[in-house]
């Protein structure tokens, strides 16, 4: 079901309008993984932004980025949060995004991706800058107006009663951000559990195959 959230409609998964064949043209999963890994390693080593990334699990960030770009560039659609929700608590700056863009250009070239494909990749990534940085708080304000509209329709502020003062609205906004972070963490845990279960199933199948082969020998 399409989201009625205007932020998700504007910049949600699948909205960069990238070519549906770009994923395959750059080399598929292996190449995408190599590119994103190289970029995150570069950001971690960068003297300007390395400390910013030190507080994160880069492997998790890399996995989510691969998932997102795969969907935007023609692979399996991404099913997670829109870019603003995913980055709203991080405080990403334009300077940090510039460094990331430079690294993508370098790593894509290093990995032997074609010039046309590099141009398309960078154009797609540049479209993601505004929601990731949200320098003028455009998407934050859009989201808050949306929640206020829903609250008005429900006859309150979304928490069961009107928020009269600016302080109360600020408190409700903080609570909203905390709820979004909690949902994001829960989603990450579910994804990790799925991968662990899939890995366990794969190990079990491989083990059974080895045992069967040994018995035949």
């Amino acid at each position: 079901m399409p989201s009625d959230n205007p932020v998700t409609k504007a910049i949600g998964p699948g909205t960069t309008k990238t070519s549906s064949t770009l994923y395959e043209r750059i080399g598929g999963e292996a190449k995408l993984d190599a590119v994103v890994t190289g970029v995150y390693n570069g950001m971690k080593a960068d003297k300007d932004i390395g400390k910013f990334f030190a507080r994160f699990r880069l492997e998790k960030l890399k996995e989510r980025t691969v998932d997102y770009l795969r969907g935007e560039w023609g692979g399996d659609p991404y099913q997670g949060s829109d870019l603003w929700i995913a980055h709203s608590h991080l405080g990403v700056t334009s300077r940090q995004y510039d460094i990331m863009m430079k690294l993508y250009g370098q790593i894509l070239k290093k990995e032997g991706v074609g010039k046309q494909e590099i141009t398309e990749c960078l154009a797609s990534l540049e479209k993601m800058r505004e929601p990731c940085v949200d320098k003028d708080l455009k998407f934050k304000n859009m989201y808050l107006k949306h929640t206020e509209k829903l609250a008005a329709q429900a006859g309150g502020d979304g928490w069961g009663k009107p928020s009269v003062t600016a302080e109360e609205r600020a408190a409700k906004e903080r609570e909203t951000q905390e709820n979004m972070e909690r949902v994001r963490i829960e989603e990450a845990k579910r994804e990790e559990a799925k991968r662990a279960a899939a890995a366990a199933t794969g190990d079990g199948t491989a083990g059974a195959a080895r045992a069967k082969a040994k018995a035949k020998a």
Side-chain angles (χ1 to χ4, degrees), residues 58-123:
L58 286 190
E59 186 62 28
K60 177 65 66 177
L61 291 178
K62 190 208 81 172
E63 290 174 3
R64 297 303 293 272
T65 301
V66 168
D67 289 344
Y68 195 89
L69 294 182
R70 183 194 304 117
E72 293 302 291
W73 295 352
D76 293 336
Y78 180 70
Q79 302 297 327
S81 303
D82 64 60
L83 289 173
W84 176 74
I85 288 180
H87 293 80
S88 60
H89 67 299
L90 301 179
V92 178
T93 67
S94 293
R95 167 63 177 162
Q96 291 167 343
Y97 208 88
D98 286 341
I99 293 173
M100 184 197 75
M101 288 294 294
K102 183 178 179 180
L103 284 167
Y104 266 106
Q106 293 172 345
I107 301 300
L108 284 163
K109 184 176 180 180
K110 179 181 178 181
E111 290 294 329
V113 176
K115 290 183 178 180
Q116 176 59 35
E117 286 69 33
I118 290 177
T119 298
E120 292 181 38
C121 288
L122 294 180

Side-chain angles (χ1 to χ4, degrees), residues 15-184:
T15 58
T16 62
K17 296 180 174 59
T18 306
S19 166
S20 61
T21 64
L22 182 57
Y23 173 70
E24 292 300 331
R25 285 188 285 122
I26 67 170
E29 190 70 12
K31 188 66 68 175
L32 176 59
D33 188 271
V35 168
V36 175
T37 297
V39 169
Y40 273 106
N41 286 342
M43 289 192 290
K44 182 179 179 181
D46 187 89
K47 63 179 182 179
D48 291 329
I49 64 174
K51 291 182 179 180
F52 176 82
F53 285 94
R55 58 191 171 119
F56 301 113
R57 290 176 56 191
L58 286 190
E59 186 62 28
K60 177 65 66 177
L61 291 178
K62 190 208 81 172
E63 290 174 3
R64 297 303 293 272
T65 301
V66 168
D67 289 344
Y68 195 89
L69 294 182
R70 183 194 304 117
E72 293 302 291
W73 295 352
D76 293 336
Y78 180 70
Q79 302 297 327
S81 303
D82 64 60
L83 289 173
W84 176 74
I85 288 180
H87 293 80
S88 60
H89 67 299
L90 301 179
V92 178
T93 67
S94 293
R95 167 63 177 162
Q96 291 167 343
Y97 208 88
D98 286 341
I99 293 173
M100 184 197 75
M101 288 294 294
K102 183 178 179 180
L103 284 167
Y104 266 106
Q106 293 172 345
I107 301 300
L108 284 163
K109 184 176 180 180
K110 179 181 178 181
E111 290 294 329
V113 176
K115 290 183 178 180
Q116 176 59 35
E117 286 69 33
I118 290 177
T119 298
E120 292 181 38
C121 288
L122 294 180
S124 174
L125 289 161
E126 187 58 42
K127 290 178 181 178
M128 301 175 195
R129 176 192 294 267
E130 190 176 15
C132 288
V133 176
D134 200 19
K135 182 178 179 180
D136 299 320
L137 304 182
K138 170 183 175 182
F139 295 107
K140 177 182 178 181
N141 292 329
M142 187 185 297
Y143 178 78
L144 290 178
K145 286 182 179 179
H146 173 63
T147 59
E148 288 171 359
K149 179 180 178 181
L150 294 178
Q153 292 173 349
D157 67 351
W159 287 267
K161 63 178 182 178
S163 292
V164 179
T165 67
E167 289 77 12
E168 287 180 348
R169 288 302 305 170
K172 297 306 184 186
E173 182 181 333
R174 287 195 298 271
E175 185 174 345
T176 297
Q177 294 288 349
E178 290 170 359
N179 287 337
M180 287 193 301
E181 176 66 9
R182 187 158 45 249
V183 168
R184 185 163 43 244

